[in-house]
Amino acid sequence: EATPSLACANKCVFCWRHHKNPVGKEWRWKTDDPHFIVEEAVNKHVSMIKEAKGIPGVQADRWEEAHTVRHCALSLVGEPIMYPRIDELLADLHSREISTFLVTNGQHPKAIESLRPVTQLYVSVDAPTPESLIEIDRPLFNDAWERLKYSLSCLKDKGQRTVARLTVVKGWNSDDIDGYAKLVALGKCSLVEVKGVTFCGKSDASNLNMTNTPWHHEVVALTQKLQEELAKITAAGGPDAPPLYGLACEHKHSCSVLLARVDQFGGEIDPVTGRRKWKTWIDYPKFHELAARHVEDPTFKFAVEDYVAETPSWALFGAEEEGFDPTDNRHRKKRKHPKYTKFDLSGVPTHDDDGQELSAQERNRLKMLMDEKKKDVGDGSTVYTLKGGEKTVEDASLMFRGLTVTK
């Protein structure tokens, strides 16, 4: 993960950098050479990897493999697309056969238009309305909403993978799902990534708290509603109607769900499982081959479908593994385990810490406790705005989640 720019035109409430970096509408700093940035980034990465040798849990084969950089997420801090020589930096990465995942906040649409093909291009869609965008992103541009919409509309003309990235912050931007659908439709994005915000602690620049972080099942429910709203726009028809999207992948540990265009990534329905097969993974050698050909001949165009790869079964939405690679071992904090492992639709636990089904009597007791809680805070999520703008969320259906037992 790297960036060529520390500066940004937004001051998002959920930014984990705590706003120690500079802000600005345009570039006004020293411009380092792109080759120097890439070379130093790779060298520093390798240096950090070397220091990990011998640490308990580090696997020797993966430690060795990590010395060769193969992927770069340009999203570490700031707005990477503000860097005046971003196109040259991308070219340098591709010449080394390093894939590029560029994340932009959608405030520099002209830069998006002129961007060379990247492996995957993200636009952050942090709010569904102009008012909520100002509240959560705290942009410097007065026309931030128009800039976001313009940026999204630029995506439909890109030949490569594009992503609308939604960061869900409970109490702040988790409503107005139809607004999100209209924004996604503007770009006819290849993918829609919906993820829960990660709480990174208190700071003077942010007033978020743990209640603003959604659980995975809440992100799933929101994504399902978004899929339904997109389907309504598609059914209405018209030249700007988006293609059909399907629930393709999920990763519970990341609190993340992926919608994908059926026409670009969808496969046949498995007659045994009833689930659709997907090709949301990336054929990296093929991408580099295509990108190199584009460099040689700028008139050469390639599309999303030209470098897709089949999604493994464990990464599919609804898979038992919930996005965890079964070849890896999952490690929990010492002695700390979830008190309950399964819940019914209302949030009442159904299985204990060992995965054993609770008795009807115990489930009824827990339900009564939840009913008492609902008398105090109401049914569903209730948002309270506190002094200083902090928002806290009360939801009785979550009262048993997050509880742990010591083993």
Side-chain angles (χ1 to χ4, degrees), residues 172-183:
W172 290 80
N173 66 354
S174 50
D175 298 321
D176 298 314
I177 309 304
D178 59 327
Y180 282 120
K182 291 173 183 175
L183 289 174

Side-chain angles (χ1 to χ4, degrees), residues 176-336:
D176 298 314
I177 309 304
D178 59 327
Y180 282 120
K182 291 173 183 175
L183 289 174
V184 172
L186 286 175
K188 299 182 179 179
C189 306
S190 305
L191 304 162
V192 184
E193 179 188 281
V194 186
K195 66 185 184 71
V197 70
T198 299
F199 178 62
C200 298
K202 289 284 187 180
S203 78
D204 294 336
S206 176
N207 49 17
L208 297 189
N209 56 67
M210 275 300 295
T211 70
N212 302 131
T213 299
W215 290 86
H216 181 65
H217 75 280
E218 294 178 296
V219 174
V220 168
L222 188 151
T223 309
Q224 290 172 328
K225 290 179 183 177
L226 177 58
Q227 182 194 22
E228 293 171 3
E229 292 299 328
L230 282 166
K232 291 178 184 177
I233 301 176
T234 302
D240 298 324
L244 281 174
Y245 289 86
L247 287 157
C249 304
E250 67 176 320
H251 192 272
K252 186 175 182 179
H253 186 64
S254 302
C255 205
S256 180
V257 183
L258 188 72
L259 289 175
R261 282 177 52 164
V262 175
D263 62 328
Q264 292 180 332
F265 304 102
E268 298 178 352
I269 303 293
D270 189 314
V272 178
T273 64
R275 299 196 191 103
R276 184 184 297 278
K277 295 181 179 179
W278 292 93
K279 293 183 178 180
T280 58
W281 279 37
I282 298 173
D283 183 336
Y284 292 103
K286 188 64 177 178
F287 169 80
H288 292 303
E289 175 190 325
L290 296 167
R293 186 174 170 187
H294 176 77
V295 171
E296 294 175 2
D297 177 12
T299 64
F300 170 71
K301 307 293 183 184
F302 61 98
V304 173
E305 297 88 339
D306 294 330
Y307 59 104
V308 296
E310 187 171 346
T311 310
S313 60
W314 53 264
L316 295 174
F317 181 82
E320 183 180 350
E321 296 88 348
E322 297 177 310
F324 291 96
D325 187 339
T327 62
D328 289 334
N329 292 320
R330 184 177 183 182
H331 296 277
R332 297 187 182 275
K333 289 183 179 179
K334 188 177 180 181
R335 301 187 303 165
K336 209 171 185 181

Side-chain angles (χ1 to χ4, degrees), residues 315-376:
L316 295 174
F317 181 82
E320 183 180 350
E321 296 88 348
E322 297 177 310
F324 291 96
D325 187 339
T327 62
D328 289 334
N329 292 320
R330 184 177 183 182
H331 296 277
R332 297 187 182 275
K333 289 183 179 179
K334 188 177 180 181
R335 301 187 303 165
K336 209 171 185 181
H337 295 260
K339 185 173 183 178
Y340 302 109
T341 52
K342 291 184 180 180
F343 304 82
D344 65 16
L345 294 177
S346 65
V348 175
T350 59
H351 292 70
D352 65 14
D353 57 294
D354 289 320
Q356 299 298 312
E357 188 173 359
L358 299 175
S359 67
Q361 182 180 2
E362 178 62 8
R363 293 200 302 273
N364 187 58
R365 183 185 74 83
L366 295 172
K367 181 179 181 303
M368 291 175 64
L369 290 175
M370 182 179 289
D371 290 340
E372 287 297 316
K373 180 75 172 179
K374 287 181 179 179
K375 291 179 183 178
D376 294 331

